[in-house]
Amino acid sequence: MDFRFSPEEEKFKEEVRTFFEREAECVSAAKEEWDSGLGYGPNCWNILQKIGGKGWLCPTWPKKYGGLALSYMYRYIIMEQMQYYLNIYSTVGAGMAGPVILSHGSEEQKDQFLLPIARGEIEFALGYSEPQAGSDLAALMIRAEDRGDHFLINGSKLFNTRAHYAQYHWLGARTELTEPKYKGISLFIVDLKTPGITISPIWTVGKTRTNEVFYDNVKVPKEALVGQKNRGFYYILEALDYERISTVSGIERDFMEILEYVKKTGKGKDPVIRQKIANLAIEIESARLLALRVAWMLNNEKIPNYEAGMLKLLVSETEQNFVNTSMQIFGPYGQIRKGSKWAQLNGKYERNYRDSLESLVTRGTSEIMRNVIATRGLGLPRG
Amino acid sequence: MDFDYSEFQSILLSSTKNFLEKEAKGLFREIENTEEGYSPQLWEKIAELGWLGVLFPAEYGGIDGSFVDMVLLIEEMGKALFPGPFVPTMISGLAILKYGQASQKEEILPRMIEGKLILSPCLAEPDHALNESIIEEKVSTRNGDYILSGTRLFAPYAHVSDRLIYSADTVQGKAIFLVDTKSPGVSCNPLDSIGGDKACEVNFNAVEVPESSVLGETGKGEDIIAQMNEWGALAESAYIVGMLEQVLKMSLEHAKEREQFGKKIGSFQAIQHQCANMAMDIDQAKSLTHEAAWKLSENLPSTKEISMAKAWASDAARRVCLMGVKIHGGTGVSEEHDMQLYFRKAKASELAHGDGDRHREIVARQLGL
Ligand SMILES: Cc1cc2nc3c(=O)[nH]c(=O)nc-3n(C[C@H](O)[C@H](O)[C@H](O)COP(=O)(O)OP(=O)(O)OC[C@H]3O[C@@H](n4cnc5c(N)ncnc54)[C@H](O)[C@@H]3O)c2cc1C
């Protein structure tokens, strides 16, 4: 048992940290842009390209596709630092679409997409959810008809977050009406500029933009299909598997800010607040340990099956508890928004409290994660 | 980074499992209502297996293991509800190893490791607000020797111990004394308690203790007590982790077998999600405990981590056992089923060496509050 990074890993971590410190100006502009909820603007693209230029967006990929052929622990280390400095810890291309292209894509797709993904030049919007298909993703209805020399796509998507700035849609669509439903789904890479696609905004309570995406007789070339037809659902699950690493470095950073606040304001003398702060510290530490363990499992080619579900559950619920407790610590001042002289820490937590809801719902809700733990991890019978 | 067990640890784990499965089945029930509250035959056997020497140097007959080894061993004991004075003896022995003079170590440690001496910390004074102290607290000196009077509570297995670690306030501050239980004036009465682990009321009635029995520096007693409580808290966390793993295992077995409404109850999400929460809770307690043990093994600062582990484990003990009982339904409440044993023992472990609130307060202090 050893809870330390190896000396080489420590050295690498230092290198990554130094990079972010040196790029402080660029980093803080990108973070501010990202925290506005609008997604990537010029500042985010700028820093992502700098990170990509180092090979750090896809460090585990082969060198010819812009990676560094490093092990997973290095990816974890980069993600920790990215989250700490930027709140962005990966891109959809690097974390989900890319790995599927790498293992199932055609040679043309690899040549076209992998390098730009690794260099931070392009981004994908995840095109899974629909009005009738959320947790039950296999129920998705958007149709992709095989018209011989192209696919014709009709239907709509809901909550496809990056669609307003990503170049490509990572689209799950129905290519066949089958029973069970998941056997008739295929994956496509669609250029979001293709005629017939309309994107309209949906705003969350955290003032983050997500989108509805409408497909009206959209003609997509045959080469847009990823892997085999009707195998899309398997790839979707596989892609989720690639995105199992999480980190708590953003929560740790904000926790330190709250801790300082509590010290400075003298609230740290209140026994109730002492208990709350200590409890947060413990919860965050337990989440960090699980994140490390999952990264270590991936690093050692062990499959974190239900552990990854646990991690998703624990990190999102810990974040929720953290922002909620911060609000409690501020008392009535906590409700005051940015801009007022009475707002605490510039109203950051008033906003974070609203924004924290997203992670409870996306990437599988807490209940879905508990289903996964119970059935896959604990072997309980499916209902 | 390495979350695997070493080869030694894997061997330790499997031999411990085998031993406890063979020897400790039903032991808790058998032993609970006996006078001693532990099995002297098994105590000898665990000494032969080297358990009592895990944390001690070879020169005293120990096996020079680490706190991680110890935690893994205690987790197995927790699973089996192995009763007896293991934790009190171990933390007392560690105090002697760390603070004792050469003569004290030589006199006590080899025999303790051989299973011939049981030790018990007598550190808790009765709550003065309750004003029920049986013997008035008094410390005086005569010809350089101490004369000690007072009552201590919740001293585990003091009634079968050979040496007591007794704390008292002297004119130079708090001092710790190593006292032979057979000294005139010492009496120990086991108290009937929820976990059946023979917490004793210990009375000192003008007990003569030679100056040479002081452990460590007079006046530095608080440090020794704090240190013993840290070791104890870590050990109890490990015992809790083991107990809770067993509770989850029993609950899952029950949920996979028991049918209601024509279905296995384990297929109901209300049950599934509670099981998932139990698994999560236990996982958190376990990784915090392992990290704390690892830090202690590496001589890194570990006060905060130990308190993190005990705070979480203490509360998880209550939450997980409660769910375990509920999943078992009426069976979980019945005296005949083992579930209630874990439910009771978990409460004792929750309270031992500080409950969740106490340890969160320590964490808060460690964070600079
Ligand atoms: C801000 C935001 C951004 C998003 N971004 C994207 C994106 O980029 N791309 C994309 O494809 N999707 C995205 N989503 C969609 C997200 O993945 C879905 O909202 C999520 O999967 C839940 O689906 P749903 O909203 O339909 O809720 P439902 O599935 O209807 O769930 C409602 C409730 O029922 C519970 N429930 C459902 N099924 C079960 C079950 N089997 N057992 C127990 N409980 C169950 C859920 O836990 C939940 O509590 C985003 C959502 C939000 C809010």
Side-chain angles (χ1 to χ4, degrees):
Chain A
M1 216 171 279
D2 192 338
F3 290 79
R4 271 173 302 215
F5 290 122
S6 70
E8 301 81 63
E9 289 162 353
E10 274 302 339
K11 205 173 133 227
F12 181 71
K13 183 174 161 182
E14 212 34 59
E15 186 187 335
V16 179
R17 215 193 339 240
T18 312
F19 165 84
F20 280 105
E21 291 292 343
R22 204 173 293 144
E23 296 289 347
E25 213 169 298
C26 190
V27 164
S28 82
K31 180 165 180 290
E32 200 180 317
E33 192 173 87
W34 176 254
D35 287 347
S36 77
L38 290 172
Y40 303 170
N43 296 307
C44 287
W45 285 114
N46 184 16
I47 191 71
L48 285 172
Q49 279 157 27
K50 288 190 177 181
I51 297 168
K54 291 244 164 209
W56 291 349
L57 280 180
C58 307
T60 60
W61 291 10
K63 290 193 173 141
K64 74 166 174 171
Y65 294 129
L68 300 169
L70 289 171
S71 65
Y72 262 96
M73 203 47 94
Y74 288 88
R75 175 141 198 262
Y76 175 84
I77 289 169
I78 295 165
M79 285 168 83
E80 251 192 354
Q81 298 305 320
M82 280 181 72
Q83 181 146 46
Y84 183 87
Y85 285 99
L86 286 173
N87 278 343
I88 303 172
Y89 62 86
S90 184
T91 65
V92 170
M96 298 175 99
V100 175
I101 297 172
L102 198 57
S103 43
H104 303 286
S106 64
E107 285 311 311
E108 294 71 36
Q109 286 168 340
K110 290 182 194 174
D111 290 341
Q112 187 185 350
F113 296 112
L114 293 181
L115 259 182
I117 289 173
R119 288 185 181 145
E121 291 163 2
I122 57 171
E123 180 56 311
F124 291 72
L126 275 188
Y128 297 157
S129 304
E130 295 179 13
Q132 299 311 313
S135 300
D136 182 12
L137 196 54
L140 63 83
M141 305 266 286
I142 192 170
R143 271 313 295 263
E145 259 176 88
D146 194 339
R147 289 287 183 96
D149 63 339
H150 68 274
F151 287 96
L152 188 70
I153 306 185
N154 275 294
S156 71
K157 289 281 170 188
L158 187 62
F159 300 133
N160 285 193
T161 300
R162 300 173 187 224
H164 60 293
Y165 57 88
Q167 293 83 349
Y168 299 98
H169 209 189
W170 185 251
L171 179 74
R174 183 155 298 286
T175 32
E176 215 168 295
L177 292 167
T178 52
E179 198 53 57
K181 295 191 188 111
Y182 70 86
K183 289 193 167 163
I185 293 170
S186 303
L187 260 186
F188 298 89
I189 299 172
V190 181
D191 186 331
L192 280 162
K193 299 245 159 40
T194 314
I197 296 178
T198 335
I199 298 166
S200 73
I202 299 175
W203 296 96
T204 71
V205 61
K207 284 283 177 287
T208 295
R209 180 174 168 175
T210 177
N211 306 282
E212 271 179 294
V213 183
F214 301 95
Y215 277 69
D216 181 15
N217 284 320
V218 176
K219 270 169 99 175
V220 167
K222 297 252 31 181
E223 302 78 60
L225 178 71
V226 180
Q228 290 174 34
K229 197 163 110 179
N230 294 333
R231 298 277 305 166
F233 199 71
Y234 299 97
Y235 305 146
I236 288 172
L237 293 185
E238 202 181 304
L240 284 173
D241 281 358
Y242 292 122
E243 208 46 333
R244 281 168 158 167
I245 297 184
S246 288
T247 97
V248 294
S249 60
I251 307 178
E252 283 181 314
R253 176 200 61 211
D254 291 347
F255 174 75
M256 291 315 289
E257 181 177 58
I258 293 293
L259 183 62
E260 280 314 307
Y261 173 88
V262 163
K263 284 182 189 168
K264 244 189 10 228
T265 53
K267 284 174 186 275
K269 295 192 192 79
D270 180 340
V272 176
I273 288 183
R274 297 170 75 84
Q275 287 284 314
K276 284 180 192 289
I277 288 281
N279 199 49
L280 282 177
I282 298 168
E283 212 178 329
I284 294 168
E285 180 63 4
S286 71
R288 188 184 71 89
L289 291 172
L290 185 55
L292 274 178
R293 195 161 92 233
V294 169
W296 169 82
M297 289 180 84
L298 289 167
N299 205 48
N300 289 276
E301 283 161 23
K302 298 172 197 275
I303 298 164
N305 200 311
Y306 72 97
E307 289 91 343
M310 275 192 168
L311 182 58
K312 158 65 182 53
L313 177 66
L314 184 56
V315 170
S316 57
E317 302 262 333
T318 298
E319 184 189 349
Q320 175 61 27
N321 190 25
F322 169 64
V323 289
N324 184 47
T325 307
S326 308
M327 291 290 273
Q328 290 174 342
I329 287 171
F330 297 134
Y333 296 90
Q335 68 192 315
I336 305 300
R337 289 190 167 169
K338 185 177 173 165
S340 162
K341 68 172 174 175
W342 299 109
Q344 300 299 295
L345 300 176
N346 203 19
K348 175 173 161 188
Y349 291 85
E350 187 280 324
R351 194 247 169 194
N352 286 2
Y353 182 64
R354 289 180 280 121
D355 204 39
S356 67
L357 298 176
E358 173 183 346
S359 55
L360 293 174
V361 175
T362 52
R363 290 206 299 145
T365 66
S366 294
E367 287 70 35
I368 296 296
M369 292 303 116
R370 290 189 179 97
N371 290 349
V372 168
I373 297 165
T375 53
R376 278 204 237 167
L378 305 176
L380 288 169
R382 283 167 207 277
Chain B
M1 212 65 61
D2 186 7
F3 289 87
D4 265 338
Y5 300 145
S6 68
E7 204 183 318
F8 170 73
Q9 287 163 347
S10 303
I11 295 169
L12 179 75
L13 268 181
S14 68
S15 71
T16 305
K17 260 195 222 313
N18 288 342
F19 175 81
L20 289 171
E21 254 160 44
K22 205 166 98 222
E23 306 276 359
K25 253 213 167 76
L27 184 67
F28 185 92
R29 243 175 227 284
E30 234 171 77
I31 286 299
E32 189 177 10
N33 296 317
T34 63
E35 164 77 28
E36 297 87 6
Y38 81 114
S39 156
Q41 296 93 308
L42 281 187
W43 192 255
E44 268 175 44
K45 286 194 188 174
I46 69 169
E48 276 165 35
L49 289 171
W51 292 7
L52 297 171
V54 165
L55 282 169
F56 295 88
E59 59 173 310
Y60 302 112
I63 58 175
D64 262 326
S66 70
F67 279 93
V68 176
D69 305 336
M70 180 204 74
V71 151
L72 297 178
L73 181 67
I74 295 180
E75 281 174 13
E76 291 307 313
M77 292 187 195
K79 283 182 199 166
L81 278 187
F82 185 69
F86 183 83
V87 174
T89 297
M90 190 204 67
I91 65 175
S92 304
L94 283 174
I96 294 168
L97 180 69
K98 179 161 178 180
Y99 301 102
Q101 304 150 22
S103 58
Q104 291 170 330
K105 293 188 217 179
E106 277 151 26
E107 196 229 336
I108 292 175
L109 296 182
R111 287 199 292 147
M112 181 204 92
I113 292 166
E114 277 173 33
K116 303 254 158 45
L117 282 185
I118 290 173
L119 314 174
S120 175
C122 308
L123 305 173
E125 286 182 35
D127 189 333
H128 294 296
L130 300 177
N131 206 17
E132 291 206 350
S133 176
I134 299 207
I135 302 215
E136 201 192 331
E137 187 71 23
K138 207 169 158 201
V139 176
S140 52
T141 49
R142 191 194 309 146
N143 307 330
D145 291 345
Y146 286 90
I147 318 278
L148 306 173
S149 291
T151 297
R152 297 291 174 271
L153 289 180
F154 320 125
Y157 293 92
H159 68 309
V160 293
S161 294
D162 303 282
R163 294 284 189 285
L164 305 171
I165 308 261
Y166 184 92
S167 73
D169 292 318
T170 70
V171 279
Q172 294 124 290
K174 177 106 45 215
I176 307 291
F177 301 90
L178 256 170
V179 182
D180 192 324
T181 319
K182 287 193 230 51
S183 312
V186 174
S187 67
C188 304
N189 316 312
L191 305 169
D192 206 3
S193 66
I194 191 162
D197 32 18
K198 308 293 171 191
C200 291
E201 173 195 291
V202 175
N203 290 310
F204 272 39
N205 196 348
V207 179
E208 272 190 54
V209 179
E211 163 93 67
S212 62
S213 296
V214 173
L215 182 68
E217 242 178 277
T218 308
K220 292 275 168 66
E222 297 291 1
D223 297 347
I224 302 178
I225 294 174
Q227 177 65 80
M228 288 175 75
N229 274 325
E230 281 188 16
W231 292 323
L234 179 65
E236 288 296 340
S237 302
Y239 199 91
I240 288 172
V241 167
M243 279 196 285
L244 302 190
E245 287 189 324
Q246 188 63 22
V247 167
L248 178 59
K249 185 162 174 259
M250 294 192 307
S251 304
L252 290 171
E253 278 164 10
H254 185 75
K256 287 175 193 174
E257 213 195 317
R258 170 74 174 165
E259 289 187 10
Q260 286 290 278
F261 302 97
K263 285 181 179 166
K264 306 283 185 208
I265 59 165
S267 69
F268 300 137
Q269 281 192 337
I271 300 285
Q272 291 189 344
H273 286 196
Q274 295 295 357
C275 289
N277 289 342
M278 289 160 82
M280 187 78 255
D281 223 353
I282 298 168
D283 194 272
Q284 289 172 272
K286 189 168 177 160
S287 42
L288 290 165
T289 301
H290 286 185
E291 187 192 30
W294 173 79
K295 288 214 157 171
L296 197 53
S297 299
E298 296 288 317
N299 283 318
L300 297 165
S302 55
T303 301
K304 183 173 81 188
E305 285 73 14
I306 289 172
S307 283
M308 284 183 160
K310 183 60 165 68
W312 196 271
S314 293
D315 290 349
R318 216 175 41 243
R319 288 188 292 256
V320 171
C321 286
L322 205 54
M323 269 327 297
V325 168
K326 288 183 185 170
I327 290 169
H328 281 83
T331 316
V333 185
S334 71
E335 146 74 15
E336 195 190 334
H337 195 275
D338 280 356
M339 189 54 235
Q340 57 93 0
L341 305 179
Y342 288 85
F343 176 77
R344 288 192 291 121
K345 183 69 180 83
K347 178 51 87 179
S349 289
E350 176 194 343
L351 298 175
H353 300 288
D355 67 0
D357 291 343
R358 176 75 66 86
H359 282 283
R360 274 187 292 276
E361 175 53 32
I362 296 175
V363 172
R365 255 180 274 153
Q366 288 288 317
L367 290 168
L369 295 186

